[in-house]
C-alpha cells in the first residue's frame, strides 16, 4: 500500500497534470475544435472575392474599468480576439477585411496617449504579417475601417469632435480601399452618426457592384440619410454592426430575420435589386465575448459576380471556459483540503496518543525485568 507521503505526492502530480491539460484545451485546442463547425464556401468560378467582416471588437480601455483584475480582463479579451481572428484568417483566406466600427470601447474618451496605446493593441491583434502563408493565399488583401460611436462619439446625440474623427482617420483609414478591381467592387463608407457617406466618383458607380459599410444599421432607421443612400449609392448590399446581433434586413418591406444557424445563406443581388426592387442589409454580430452576448461571431461573405454567399463563423463562449477554471480551482482546493484533514484528523491523533500511552505505561513482567537490569 502507498504511504501517506507517497499518496500526497501522487495527488499533487495528478492535479497539476489535469490543470495543464485543462489550460491547453481552454487556451489552444478549443479554437481548433470550434473551427471544425464552420461552413466553408467554395468558389464556383475562379475570380470570386472573399470578405471577412469583423464588427464591434471593442478593445477594453483604461478609463471605465479600474478594478484589481481589469488588466487581466484586457489581456484575456485581447488574446481571445487574436486567437479567433487567426483561426478565421486561416479558414477564409480573405481578399478583403472589413472592420464595421467600435474597434475600441473607449476611443471617443481616450487621451492622446491612451488612443495611441489602443491603436497599437488593435494592430497587434489584427495583424497578418506574422503569417508568411497569408500573402501566398491572399496576395491582394485589403482593409476597410468604419468608425463607430465608441471610436469617435455620437451615440444618443453625443457630440463628435473633429479631433476624434481626424485621429481615427489618421490611425486606420490611410490605406483603406475604395475600389477592388478584381471583380469591380466598390465600397462606400456610411457614417450614420455624422449623417454622411463617401461617394467621390458617382458618375461611374453603375459600373461596379456597390457595397455599403456602416457601423449602425441603415435600412431599419429610415429618414433622410436612408433616402440619400438609396438614391445616390443604390447599394446592392449593406453590411453593418452596432447591435451585436446577427440579422438580415430587407427594404422597403422592413423584414427582419434573425440569423443564428451555422449554415450558408445564398443571395442573388441582381435579382433582389432589379426584379424584387428591394435592398438587402446584413448585420454582423460582435466578435468580442465582453459585450454581454452568448453568441459571438465573425461574418464571412463570398461574392461571385452578383451571387452572394454569407455565413457566420461562430466563436466559442469564453465565459463558459472561465467558469470551468473557477469550478476546477474550487474542486482542486477541496481535494487538497479534504486530504489534509484526513491525514490530521482527531481519530488518527487519538490513535497515536493511545499507542504512546500504552508503551509508556507498560507494566508487564518483561518490561519490569528489563528496568531492573
Amino acid at each position: 500500500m502507498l504511504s501517506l507521503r507517497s499518496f500526497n505526492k501522487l495527488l499533487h502530480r495528478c492535479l497539476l497534470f489535469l490543470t495543464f491539460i485543462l489550460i491547453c484545451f481552454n487556451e489552444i485546442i478549443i479554437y481548433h475544435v470550434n473551427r471544425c463547425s464552420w461552413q466553408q464556401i467554395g468558389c464556383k468560378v475562379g475570380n470570386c472575392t472573399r470578405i471577412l467582416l469583423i464588427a464591434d471588437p471593442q478593445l477594453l480601455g483604461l478609463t471605465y474599468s479600474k478594478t484589481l483584475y481589469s488588466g487581466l480582463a484586457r489581456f484575456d479579451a485581447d488574446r481571445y480576439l487574436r486567437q479567433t481572428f487567426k483561426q478565421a484568417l486561416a479558414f477564409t483566406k480573405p481578399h478583403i477585411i472589413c472592420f464595421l466600427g467600435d474597434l475600441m470601447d473607449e476611443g471617443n474618451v481616450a487621451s492622446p496617449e491612451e488612443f495611441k496605446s489602443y491603436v497599437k493593441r488593435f494592430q497587434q491583434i489584427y495583424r497578418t504579417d506574422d503569417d508568411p502563408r497569408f500573402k501566398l493565399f491572399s496576395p491582394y488583401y485589403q482593409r476597410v475601417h468604419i468608425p463607430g460611436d465608441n471610436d469617435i462619439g455620437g451615440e444618443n446625440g453625443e457630440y463628435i469632435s473633429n479631433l476624434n474623427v481626424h485621429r481615427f482617420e489618421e490611425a486606420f483609414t490611410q490605406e483603406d480601399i475604395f475600389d477592388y478591381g478584381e471583380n469591380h467592387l466598390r465600397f462606400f463608407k456610411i457614417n450614420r452618426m455624422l449623417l454622411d457617406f463617401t461617394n467621390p466618383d458617382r458618375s461611374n458607380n453603375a459600373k461596379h457592384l456597390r457595397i455599403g459599410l456602416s457601423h449602425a444599421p441603415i435600412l431599419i432607421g429610415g429618414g433622410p440619410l436612408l433616402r440619400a443612400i438609396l438614391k445616390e449609392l443604390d447599394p446592392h448590399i449593406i453590411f453593418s454592426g452596432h447591435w451585436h446581433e446577427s440579422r438580415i434586413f430587407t427594404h422597403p418591406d422592413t423584414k427582419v430575420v434573425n440569423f443564428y444557424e451555422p449554415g450558408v445563406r445564398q443571395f442573388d443581388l441582381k435579382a433582389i435589386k432589379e426584379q424584387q426592387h428591394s435592398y438587402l442589409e446584413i448585420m454582423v454580430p460582435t466578435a468580442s465575448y465582453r459585450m454581454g452576448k452568448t453568441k459571438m461571431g465573425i461574418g464571412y461573405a463570398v461574392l461571385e459576380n452578383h451571387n452572394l454567399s454569407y455565413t457566420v463563423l461562430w466563436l466559442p463562449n469564453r465565459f463558459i471556459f472561465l467558469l470551468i477554471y473557477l469550478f476546477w480551482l474550487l474542486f482542486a482546493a477541496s481535494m487538497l483540503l479534504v486530504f489534509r484533514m484526513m491525514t490530521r484528523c482527531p481519530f488518527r491523533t487519538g490513535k497515536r496518543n493511545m499507542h504512546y500511552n500504552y508503551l509508556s505505561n507498560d507494566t508487564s513482567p518483561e518490561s519490569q525485568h528489563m528496568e531492573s537490569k
Side-chain angles (χ1 to χ4, degrees), residues 55-59 64 99-110 115 118 145-161 163-165 167-168 172 190-195 213-218 240-244 283 286 291:
D56 304 277
Q58 291 191 220
L59 273 64
Y64 296 149
F99 296 94
L100 301 176
D102 276 1
L103 313 186
M104 301 161 283
D105 191 44
E106 302 175 9
N108 58 322
V109 297
F115 188 83
Y118 299 159
H145 302 81
I146 305 298
D149 52 279
N150 287 325
D151 299 317
I152 62 173
E155 186 174 22
N156 299 323
E158 177 189 2
Y159 175 71
I160 303 176
S161 68
L163 172 63
N164 285 352
V165 176
R167 69 182 184 181
F168 181 90
F172 294 106
I190 303 171
N191 192 324
R192 185 169 177 177
M193 290 85 69
L194 291 173
L195 302 179
L213 300 175
S214 172
H215 172 61
I218 298 299
S240 62
H242 186 54
W243 287 2
H244 307 162
M283 177 179 286
T286 178
M291 297 299 106

Side-chain angles (χ1 to χ4, degrees), residues 208-272:
H208 298 79
L209 192 151
R210 299 172 296 281
I211 302 173
L213 300 175
S214 172
H215 172 61
I218 298 299
L219 297 184
I220 203 69
L225 177 63
L226 174 61
R227 292 192 293 270
I229 290 172
L230 299 185
K231 180 180 179 181
E232 296 189 32
L233 304 184
D234 192 26
H236 292 87
I237 175 68
I238 298 173
F239 292 105
S240 62
H242 186 54
W243 287 2
H244 307 162
E245 303 283 356
S246 179
R247 296 180 180 177
I248 299 173
F249 305 106
T250 55
H251 179 84
D253 58 1
T254 63
K255 183 179 180 181
V256 181
V257 177
N258 291 325
F259 180 58
Y260 285 98
E261 59 264 26
V264 179
R265 285 288 186 99
Q266 306 287 341
F267 303 95
D268 186 341
L269 300 182
K270 189 173 183 180
I272 291 175

Side-chain angles (χ1 to χ4, degrees), residues 119-372:
V119 172
K120 183 178 180 180
R121 283 168 54 197
F122 181 88
Q123 293 172 345
Q124 290 174 343
I125 292 170
Y126 293 108
R127 60 184 300 183
T128 56
D129 55 358
D130 59 345
D131 189 345
R133 300 171 300 169
F134 187 67
K135 291 185 178 180
L136 296 178
F137 58 63
S138 187
Y140 304 109
Y141 125 87
Q142 301 286 346
R143 295 192 181 205
V144 184
H145 302 81
I146 305 298
D149 52 279
N150 287 325
D151 299 317
I152 62 173
E155 186 174 22
N156 299 323
E158 177 189 2
Y159 175 71
I160 303 176
S161 68
N162 291 330
L163 172 63
N164 285 352
V165 176
H166 175 72
R167 69 182 184 181
F168 181 90
E169 292 177 348
E170 185 177 4
F172 294 106
T173 66
Q174 296 296 314
E175 299 181 359
D176 281 3
I177 63 170
F178 175 57
D179 286 341
Y180 185 72
E182 291 294 310
N183 288 323
H184 302 287
L185 306 182
R186 175 161 287 185
F187 293 88
F188 299 94
K189 296 182 179 182
I190 303 171
N191 192 324
R192 185 169 177 177
M193 290 85 69
L194 291 173
L195 302 179
D196 191 21
F197 53 86
T198 58
N199 189 18
D201 187 27
R202 66 183 63 189
S203 60
N204 292 315
N205 284 346
K207 301 177 183 179
H208 298 79
L209 192 151
R210 299 172 296 281
I211 302 173
L213 300 175
S214 172
H215 172 61
I218 298 299
L219 297 184
I220 203 69
L225 177 63
L226 174 61
R227 292 192 293 270
I229 290 172
L230 299 185
K231 180 180 179 181
E232 296 189 32
L233 304 184
D234 192 26
H236 292 87
I237 175 68
I238 298 173
F239 292 105
S240 62
H242 186 54
W243 287 2
H244 307 162
E245 303 283 356
S246 179
R247 296 180 180 177
I248 299 173
F249 305 106
T250 55
H251 179 84
D253 58 1
T254 63
K255 183 179 180 181
V256 181
V257 177
N258 291 325
F259 180 58
Y260 285 98
E261 59 264 26
V264 179
R265 285 288 186 99
Q266 306 287 341
F267 303 95
D268 186 341
L269 300 182
K270 189 173 183 180
I272 291 175
K273 177 169 293 296
E274 297 180 0
Q275 298 177 15
Q276 303 175 20
H277 304 288
S278 297
Y279 293 90
L280 176 68
E281 178 176 353
I282 296 177
M283 177 179 286
V284 180
T286 178
S288 173
Y289 76 89
R290 300 286 303 187
M291 297 299 106
K293 299 294 182 179
T294 58
K295 288 282 191 177
M296 296 75 61
I298 296 175
Y300 175 38
V302 175
L303 276 166
E304 298 180 272
N305 298 321
H306 285 79
N307 296 315
L308 170 66
S309 301
Y310 175 79
T311 187
V312 177
L313 309 178
W314 296 109
L315 307 178
N317 191 329
R318 179 65 175 168
F319 277 121
I320 293 178
F321 299 98
L322 294 178
L323 286 175
I324 292 175
Y325 278 136
L326 178 60
F327 289 141
W328 175 251
L329 178 63
L330 295 175
F331 173 77
S334 300
M335 288 288 293
L336 294 174
L337 180 62
V338 169
F339 179 77
R340 191 173 185 85
M341 292 175 63
M342 289 177 61
T343 56
R344 297 191 176 187
C345 64
F347 172 76
R348 293 187 57 83
T349 304
K351 188 174 181 180
R352 287 198 298 268
N353 291 337
M354 289 176 61
H355 183 66
Y356 175 77
N357 293 334
Y358 174 77
L359 294 176
S360 300
N361 300 326
D362 190 358
T363 57
S364 62
E366 292 80 2
S367 62
Q368 293 178 1
H369 178 69
M370 293 295 294
E371 289 177 358
S372 63

